[in-house]
């Protein structure tokens, strides 16, 4: 069959659950020239799919992973092989044996309500009704999800193979991939030990062999395979006579890193409690060699009894029925882990047409396949995948040692209670700004993001807390990684002047004769302004979804500095840049200090030869000037709603810039302030955070950033789609919690008239307002003053729809 644009040649590497699901999804969309290559025998080729226990718990703190799991359940429920369903809906049950875990289950119930998964917190008695073998005296409660269950991964693979084959796809077993052919930066074929297969698109769905395939293509695949223990008991008298594969919910005992499922009259037990057991993907034996080594399959390593003993003791404590039982069989199964625990998806820019669908567990397999198929056929997935995008890792996060260390830590933390602000412990510090030494001297409390050390508050400001009024007491969860010092820093910013380290914000330089035309075409606002102008604009996709928000400073006719969000922004611009435009990331070689507060001008004006008055240096303007001896690019921007500037210079001069500002600001009472205060201040002003408040699932008008879209100008990416948008059905809506002492953190469900209506995106206590501010996606048209409830740790917290901006609506504090 010859290739056509409507039916290109696709080669999928790997016939596990992801490869089979992808072939089905692609062929259902009309791409039928599909070849799936597998090095092992079909339908059980020996990868992770062949041994996966199949537990599907849909609820996840990530909205994206929950959506992928929901589709997987929906699809597998609709499939069967010889009358046997590919999904066994027995429900799920997560146990709490500590107060901390019970609180975590309440949060999980909140995620479920936010993302549309049925679930409820149940009593210890109800837990033992659902699982009579557990010792009720150990249990404080549980989280029951009736629609979770067991994915029969090999059956689902067979069912989807059959459907894809009927549409024209072919599945070839025992074809070992040995190379990826390419020409002119595009993939052209896949070489195997049994011939070469021409291709317009190649998808690596090779599981833990992903790094091996990636190396052939010259594309790094940041995943680390690790072995994970799974054992089966012998027959249990308490389950004698059972005929169904399983009748009880799949069970998690997360306080001991264990999970359980029935195998008719036996119980299967998985453990994450043991030491990490990393596996070198380049050393995993092929199928036949693995069998020769008496391994059941390449992904099944010998059971390590010494690692199992502590978990077996925990199992017997939870289930007294196991005290007289033994382990009939066990193995260490290999799975893929990434540095952040998320899949790796998308097309490589360096090798066009080469796609990754890696680090995907059975739980999310069909959902990932659908999203990648949409991406390939339609140009974009229908759900936000920025957490899974292959470009998301910084260069400093792609070293083999980093991937190994963080992948192993992800294994350790699979069932840990993880606070949303909890930083990784190692390797740190990895990336530091030029001000790091000064921040340490001021007692900075550092958290981490993108590898950067980010101060959240400074202990040097602790004396300022005494001048505050009484602050509401916080519960243990919301008090974690928080300090009342943040309130003092917010107050000092509103009343005086503060220095904020904004170095981790991504900076791109765009130059060349075609740079203005290029950026104007790629973004939504009008960039055709004189040098010195700064513009807030949006990077949209073809459907009008918000891929990112940018600040674009025109520093010269053909030179722009772009404030961006993630490596994906750089990747997108590089993909589309014409030959006369040069785009480069300048973040690592530069730094930035935000000087904000009503005394900001008093601080910077004596240090510069230029006029920083409002008349000469207006809002959203930029100048290249000097602060003391330091050349800077000064932009009059504010992320906190106060007068001020972002001051950029090269990294080598960063410390001198900090010291110059600090020394000059002493008589003004200047302080250093952290991200905790910044987040509070930005929410009081209603400033959005891309990736949290809005993503490519949202259009600018419903997200409240329609002011950054100029529909009256020439064509730009996304314009046609926005022109066809009907009235919005949802809005990013500001809420004020009614109780001045109440706090929420984000991702909680919001109820209107007693029914789930949406979910919180960002939230922080507004120290100026004396109330917690929460932004939430809610139905459009809720009038100001409407009462709603936010569920926090099982309690319904009243809140009220508010007008925005909540603070300084006339912008008088910024424009002065």
């Amino acid at each position: 069959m010859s290739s056509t644009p409507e039916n290109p040649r696709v080669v999928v590497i790997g016939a596990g659950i992801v490869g089979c699901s992808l072939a089905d999804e692609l062929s259902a969309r009309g791409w039928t020239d599909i070849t799936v290559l597998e090095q092992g025998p079909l339908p059980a080729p020996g990868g992770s799919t062949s041994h996966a226990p199949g537990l599907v718990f849909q609820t996840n703190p990530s909205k994206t992973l929950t959506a992928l799991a929901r589709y997987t359940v929906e699809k597998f429920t609709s499939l069967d092989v010889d009358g046997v369903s590919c999904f066994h809906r027995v429900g799920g049950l997560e146990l709490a044996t500590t107060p901390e875990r019970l609180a975590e289950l309440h949060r999980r119930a909140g995620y479920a309500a936010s993302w549309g998964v049925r679930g409820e917190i149940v009593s210890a008695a109800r837990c033992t009704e659902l699982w009579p073998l557990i010792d009720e005296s150990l249990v404080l409660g549980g989280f029951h999800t009736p629609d979770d269950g067991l994915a029969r991964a090999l059956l689902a693979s067979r069912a989807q193979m059959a459907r894809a084959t009927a549409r024209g796809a072919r599945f070839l077993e025992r074809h070992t991939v040995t190379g990826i052919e390419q020409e002119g930066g595009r993939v052209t074929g896949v070489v195997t030990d049994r011939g070469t297969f021409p291709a317009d698109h190649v998808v690596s769905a090779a599981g833990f062999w992903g790094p091996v395939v990636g190396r052939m293509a010259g594309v790094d695949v940041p995943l680390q395979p690790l072995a994970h223990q799974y054992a089966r008991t012998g027959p249990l008298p308490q389950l004698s006579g059972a005929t169904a594969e399983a009748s009880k919910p799949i069970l998690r005992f997360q306080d001991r890193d264990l999970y359980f499922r029935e195998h008719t009259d036996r119980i299967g037990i998985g453990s994450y409690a043991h030491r990490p057991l990393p596996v070198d993907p380049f050393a995993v034996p092929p199928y036949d060699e693995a069998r020769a080594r008496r391994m059941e399959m390449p992904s099944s390593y010998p059971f390590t009894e010494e690692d199992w003993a502590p978990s077996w003791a925990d199992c017997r404590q939870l289930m007294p029925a196991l005290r007289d039982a033994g382990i009939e069989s066990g193995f260490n199964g290999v799975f893929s882990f990434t540095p952040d625990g998320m899949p790796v998806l998308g097309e490589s820019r360096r090798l066009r047409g080469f796609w990754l669908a890696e680090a995907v567990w059975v739980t999310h397999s069909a959902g990932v396949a659908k999203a990648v198929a949409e991406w390939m056929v339609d140009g974009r997935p229908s759900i936000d995948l920025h957490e899974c995008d292959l470009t998301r890792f910084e260069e400093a996060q792609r070293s083999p040692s980093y991937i190994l260390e963080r992948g192993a830590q992800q294994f350790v933390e699979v069932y840990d209670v993880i606070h949303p602000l909890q930083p990784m412990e190692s390797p740190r510090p990895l990336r530091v700004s030029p001000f790091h030494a000064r921040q340490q001297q001021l007692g900075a409390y550092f958290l981490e993001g993108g590898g950067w050390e980010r101060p959240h508050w400074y202990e040097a400001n602790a004396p300022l807390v005494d001048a505050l009024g009484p602050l509401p007491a916080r519960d243990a969860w919301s008090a974690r990684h928080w300090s009342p010092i943040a309130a003092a820093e917010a107050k000092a910013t509103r009343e005086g002047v503060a220095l904020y380290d904004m170095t981790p914000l991504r900076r791109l330089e765009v130059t060349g004769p075609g740079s203005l035309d290029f950026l104007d075409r790629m973004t939504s606002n009008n960039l055709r302004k004189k040098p010195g102008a700064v513009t807030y604009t949006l990077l949209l996709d073809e459907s009008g979804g918000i891929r990112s928000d940018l600040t674009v400073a025109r520093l010269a006719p053909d030179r722009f500095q772009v404030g961006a969000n993630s490596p994906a922004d750089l990747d997108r611009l590089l993909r589309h840049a014409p030959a006369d435009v040069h785009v480069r990331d300048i973040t690592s070689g530069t730094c930035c200090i935000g000087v904000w507060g009503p005394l900001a001008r008093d601080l910077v004006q004596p240090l510069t030869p230029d006029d920083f008055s409002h008349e000469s240096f207006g809002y959203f303007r930029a100048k290249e000037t000097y602060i003391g001896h330091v050349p800077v690019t000064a932009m009059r921007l504010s992320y906190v709603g106060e007068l001020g500037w972002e001051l950029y210079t090269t990294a080598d001069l960063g410390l001198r810039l900090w010291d110059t500002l600090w020394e000059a600001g002493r008589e003004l009472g200047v302080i250093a302030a952290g991200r905790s205060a910044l987040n509070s201040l930005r929410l009081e002003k209603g400033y959005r955070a891309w990736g949290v408040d809005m993503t490519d699932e949202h259009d600018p008008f419903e997200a409240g950033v329609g002011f950054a879209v100029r529909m009256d100008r020439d064509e730009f990416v996304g314009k046609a789609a926005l022109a066809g948008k009907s009235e919005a059905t949802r809005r990013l809506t500001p809420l004020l919690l009614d109780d001045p002492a109440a706090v929420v953190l984000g991702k909680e469900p919001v109820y209107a008239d007693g029914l789930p209506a949406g979910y919180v995106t960002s939230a922080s206590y507004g120290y100026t307002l004396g109330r917690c501010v929460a932004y939430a996606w809610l139905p459009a048209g809720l009038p100001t003053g409407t009462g709603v409830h936010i569920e926090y740790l099982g309690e319904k917290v009243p809140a009220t729809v508010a007008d925005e901006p909540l603070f300084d609506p006339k912008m008088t504090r910024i424009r002065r």
Side-chain angles (χ1 to χ4, degrees), residues 227-229 257 271-277 307-308 311 332 411-412:
H228 155 62
Q229 289 202 308
D257 295 307
S271 171
Y272 292 101
H274 56 83
R275 63 194 167 96
L277 299 168
D307 292 310
W308 176 250
S311 290
N332 289 359
F411 177 92
V412 170

Side-chain angles (χ1 to χ4, degrees), residues 656-698:
R656 183 62 178 261
L657 176 62
W658 179 281
D659 288 346
T660 300
L661 293 166
W662 187 260
E663 187 61 32
R666 284 182 183 274
E667 63 183 34
L668 299 172
V670 70
I671 68 161
R675 295 185 68 86
S676 186
L678 183 143
N679 197 47
S680 171
L681 297 169
R682 71 102 181 165
L683 280 171
E684 289 183 331
K685 280 298 294 180
Y687 294 150
R688 277 56 168 156
W690 183 86
V692 179
D693 298 315
M694 57 190 186
T695 69
D696 59 7
E697 290 185 1
H698 310 110

Side-chain angles (χ1 to χ4, degrees), residues 158-173:
R158 286 176 57 193
Q160 293 177 106
M161 285 174 60
R163 295 188 349 161
T165 300
R167 300 184 190 114
R170 57 178 176 168
F171 292 77
L172 303 179
E173 64 180 2

Side-chain angles (χ1 to χ4, degrees), residues 586-598:
I586 60 172
T587 308
S588 298
T590 56
C591 59
C592 177
I593 300 175
V595 184
W596 291 318

